Amino acid sequence: MNTKNSLKLKTKLLSLFFFIFLSIQLYAQDLLPFVENYTKSDYQGDNQIWSLAQGNDNAMYFANNYYLLRYDGVKWEKNALPNKTIIRSIMVDGNRIYSGSYKEFGYWYRKNGQMNYVSLSKWNKVFKESNNDEIWKIFKFDNQIYFQSFNGVFILNKKNEIQEVKFPFMVSYCFVVGNEILVGSVNKGVYKIKNNTFSKIDNASVLEKNIIHTIQKYQNKTYFFTKKSGVYVMENGVMTAWNNPLNAILKSANINVAQFIKNHQLVIGTASNGLYILDLNDGSYKNINRTNVLMNNSILSINQDKENDLWLGLDNGIAHIEVNSPIS
């Protein structure tokens, strides 16, 4: 064999060896779904994304500190409230984008390519001078819109009348679970609210002295996601710690948000270790964080769009995750 042919053979062997080595390394790694990141320079706004939702116009809307961001897949828009306060929460209902802020809540609507804002709190003279409420969550129940602060809720009925209900204790968030509203208190457990009265949930004393960040129902079981004590599950009135290896990891990661999504998956956003995507069929999970693809480890908000893609509001930026894409 001459030198030229020998050199070609060595080159081919080295290339083959490198290809096999690279393939083994890639195969050994957990395949992650495709992630697209958006920084504040992309949308020309602020860092934190406190809340997000998809509108009936298919555009994505984001509560981004002083801005309501709108993204139609091509162009970013940003709008500010008349009083320039921080937008903490949004919720879509029909053609309205409800938003909550400091001593302010109302709704946005789109007309002639522009976003317009109507203040409900100002029109109803809801907030007094001494009131320091900030609306951190908006939800719909029994055809009424609830604007929740940590001190109480303001309930908007069909006649555009607003009723205030004060909390008798400190509250993290309210949650619509089935046909009832559950209230996660701070250190006092979980309560139901019905006809503006509060009643404590039985057999849930283990949740006392815990801050509850999410309550959701899945397959006749109610899941309670606490900030620092992991996840608890109630079935047939019996409360137990979630029997999943991921639970021990979540206790140190600090749960911020969680949501059951389509295709039997559970997504959990943490304060210190990014996002966990759990396959409820086989128990496997993926962890997407700053070490692999996310820009930031603190997940502030989660929502799934009509294409079943996942959107994350981060402490610094936005992430779009194709959780069901065949390409990883």
Side-chain angles (χ1 to χ4, degrees), residues 33-39 42-43 48-55 57-64 69-77 90 92 256-262 265-270 274-277 288 294-296 298-324:
F34 177 75
V35 178
E36 188 173 13
N37 288 304
Y38 301 97
T39 67
D42 293 318
Y43 51 78
Q48 289 87 0
I49 305 293
W50 299 107
S51 181
L52 60 96
Q54 186 173 29
D57 57 359
N58 293 327
M60 296 299 300
Y61 292 85
F62 306 87
N64 174 227
L69 300 178
R70 181 181 184 271
Y71 181 56
D72 63 5
V74 178
K75 184 176 66 174
W76 288 94
E77 299 175 16
I90 59 173
V92 173
N256 271 347
V257 287
Q259 185 175 328
F260 289 95
I261 62 174
K262 294 181 179 179
Q265 295 180 99
L266 169 62
V267 291
I268 302 172
T270 70
L275 183 78
Y276 291 88
I277 303 175
I288 303 176
L294 280 188
M295 297 182 297
N296 187 265
S298 182
I299 314 297
L300 301 180
S301 52
I302 291 175
N303 218 326
Q304 195 170 26
D305 66 18
K306 295 172 185 176
E307 300 295 325
N308 296 332
D309 288 349
L310 201 63
W311 291 82
L312 308 181
L314 308 178
D315 192 49
N316 189 355
I318 299 168
H320 170 215
I321 304 178
E322 297 183 11
V323 286
N324 298 305

Side-chain angles (χ1 to χ4, degrees), residues 5-263:
N5 289 336
S6 176
L7 183 60
K8 284 183 178 180
L9 180 59
K10 286 181 179 180
T11 302
K12 287 181 179 180
L13 287 173
L14 283 171
S15 298
L16 180 62
F17 173 79
F18 177 77
F19 175 76
I20 293 172
F21 176 79
L22 182 62
S23 298
I24 291 171
Q25 293 300 307
L26 290 172
Y27 185 80
Q29 295 178 25
D30 290 331
L31 293 178
L32 299 176
F34 177 75
V35 178
E36 188 173 13
N37 288 304
Y38 301 97
T39 67
K40 65 179 183 179
S41 61
D42 293 318
Y43 51 78
Q44 296 295 304
D46 288 335
N47 287 327
Q48 289 87 0
I49 305 293
W50 299 107
S51 181
L52 60 96
Q54 186 173 29
N56 279 6
D57 57 359
N58 293 327
M60 296 299 300
Y61 292 85
F62 306 87
N64 174 227
N65 282 345
Y66 294 99
Y67 304 108
L68 174 74
L69 300 178
R70 181 181 184 271
Y71 181 56
D72 63 5
V74 178
K75 184 176 66 174
W76 288 94
E77 299 175 16
K78 62 180 182 179
N79 296 270
L81 290 168
N83 62 3
K84 309 296 183 183
T85 51
I86 292 176
I87 301 174
R88 297 293 190 186
S89 54
I90 59 173
M91 192 273 289
V92 173
D93 185 50
N95 293 322
R96 291 183 175 185
I97 314 294
Y98 288 97
S99 70
S101 183
Y102 175 70
K103 299 175 69 171
E104 172 65 41
F105 60 83
Y107 65 89
W108 304 75
Y109 67 94
R110 192 166 181 83
K111 186 176 181 180
N112 299 327
Q114 299 292 327
M115 298 301 296
N116 301 275
Y117 181 73
V118 176
S119 175
L120 293 169
S121 55
K122 185 178 181 180
W123 180 69
N124 286 274
K125 298 180 180 178
V126 167
F127 296 105
K128 299 175 182 177
E129 191 66 32
S130 59
N131 192 307
N132 288 316
D133 280 318
E134 197 166 12
I135 305 301
W136 281 91
K137 186 170 183 178
I138 308 171
F139 60 93
K140 187 176 183 179
F141 181 78
D142 197 21
N143 290 319
Q144 299 185 113
I145 308 297
Y146 287 68
F147 300 88
Q148 185 223 315
S149 72
F150 294 143
N151 298 315
V153 289
F154 301 91
I155 307 170
L156 174 70
N157 63 23
K158 292 181 180 179
K159 297 179 181 179
N160 281 332
E161 299 168 334
I162 296 175
Q163 177 187 13
E164 182 181 5
V165 178
K166 287 286 189 181
F167 294 140
F169 39 71
M170 288 185 65
V171 163
S172 57
Y173 297 102
C174 297
F175 308 93
V176 176
V177 182
N179 59 355
E180 58 189 8
I181 299 175
L182 299 184
V183 181
S185 72
V186 177
N187 300 328
K188 290 185 177 293
V190 182
Y191 289 74
K192 293 180 185 178
I193 180 172
K194 188 175 182 180
N195 298 325
N196 301 338
T197 59
F198 295 83
S199 58
K200 197 168 187 178
I201 296 289
D202 295 330
N203 304 323
S205 59
V206 69
L207 295 175
E208 295 177 6
K209 298 183 181 180
N210 278 295
I211 298 175
I212 299 165
H213 275 176
T214 303
I215 305 175
Q216 286 210 337
K217 203 161 192 173
Y218 178 77
Q219 293 186 343
N220 299 319
K221 298 178 183 178
T222 304
Y223 290 73
F224 300 83
F225 298 84
T226 70
K227 182 180 179 181
K228 294 183 177 181
S229 299
V231 185
Y232 289 88
V233 183
M234 178 174 279
E235 184 179 16
N236 298 324
V238 178
M239 182 80 74
T240 56
W242 186 34
N243 185 22
N244 189 292
L246 185 57
N247 206 14
I249 298 172
L250 293 171
K251 291 178 182 179
S252 60
N254 290 356
I255 298 172
N256 271 347
V257 287
Q259 185 175 328
F260 289 95
I261 62 174
K262 294 181 179 179
N263 295 330

